[in-house]
Structure formats: C-alpha cells, structure tokens
Amino acid sequence: MHRLSAKSASLEEAFALTQAILDGRGVGVPIDHPGALRVVVASALLAPVCALTGLALGTLVRQTAATTTACVAVLFVLPLVVSDDRYWSAVVAHALPFEAWNRLVTVAPAPTGFPWTTGGAWTVYGAWALGATALAVVGTHRRDQ
C-alpha cells in the first residue's frame, strides 16, 4: 500500500511541477479539470506499456538490433501507416498502444467513421500489458528450461 501511495504522490508532484511551469505561461489546468486526470494517468502508463512490449519482443527475437527495429516498427511506425478511413485499418489502429494513448488524451475527439470509446482505449492498454507480460514469462520459461 505504501508503494502505491508513493507512486501516486510522485505523479501528483510531477503534475504540480508541470502546472507551475504552464501556469506561468497562462495555460495551466487544475487536476479537477474534466479529463485532466485521465490525461495524466494515460501518459504515465504509456511508458510501462511500451517497455513491456519491448520486453516481450526481446524475449521472442533475442537479438538487440532486431528487437529494437521491431519495437520501433510496432510502436511508432505502424500508427503512422494505419488510419480511421477504412474499417480494417481502424481496427488495427484502435488496437495499438499509441492510438489508445492518443484517444485517452484527446478530450473532445473529432468525429470519425469508426469511433471508439475511452473504455476501449483502457482495454487496449491492459491487453498489451498483460499480453506482453504473459508472452515474456512463457517465452522465457520455455526457452530457459
């Protein structure tokens, strides 16, 4: 329990420091502003989700350069290639961590042909984290026996 409260405190401190800087420029937002807490939590969770994805890819590939290339391709290049214009492309886009983050930090998303919910974006975050962890554990366990 202490560990969770320490992480929460550091998240609040980071938000307070950022808001102090932004407030000096006249663009600060309080934490109780609609959507602000969601943006903070989604942004804080993006790095661990990406790290777990890299861990899973590293477990599968087991070569540094290939793992790095695969990780960049999955996390950064693929979101640039897919779009919300066609159904299958939208399905792929909605299943990517970066697009989930983008959906969570956009308070008023523009209307698209294939919209999705913030709940769906949180589900994508959880699925990538759990799937990557399971893949890394099972892959390591099978390979290192």
Side-chain angles (χ1 to χ4, degrees), residues 50-55 57-58 65-77:
C50 291
L52 287 170
T53 301
L55 175 70
L57 288 171
T67 299
T68 303
T69 302
C71 198
V72 167
V74 169
L75 295 175
F76 300 116
V77 176

Side-chain angles (χ1 to χ4, degrees), residues 94 96-97 99-104 116-126:
H94 294 173
L96 297 173
E99 291 297 326
W101 172 82
N102 196 19
R103 173 62 182 96
L104 291 169
W116 62 319
T117 64
T118 56
W122 287 118
T123 303
V124 168
Y125 259 31

Side-chain angles (χ1 to χ4, degrees), residues 32-85:
D32 61 349
H33 188 272
L37 185 60
R38 183 180 70 213
V39 170
V40 170
V41 173
S43 296
L45 290 177
L46 182 62
V49 169
C50 291
L52 287 170
T53 301
L55 175 70
L57 288 171
T59 301
L60 289 176
V61 178
R62 293 186 64 129
Q63 291 186 357
T64 306
T67 299
T68 303
T69 302
C71 198
V72 167
V74 169
L75 295 175
F76 300 116
V77 176
L78 193 56
L80 296 173
V81 174
V82 295
S83 67
D84 283 338
D85 295 341

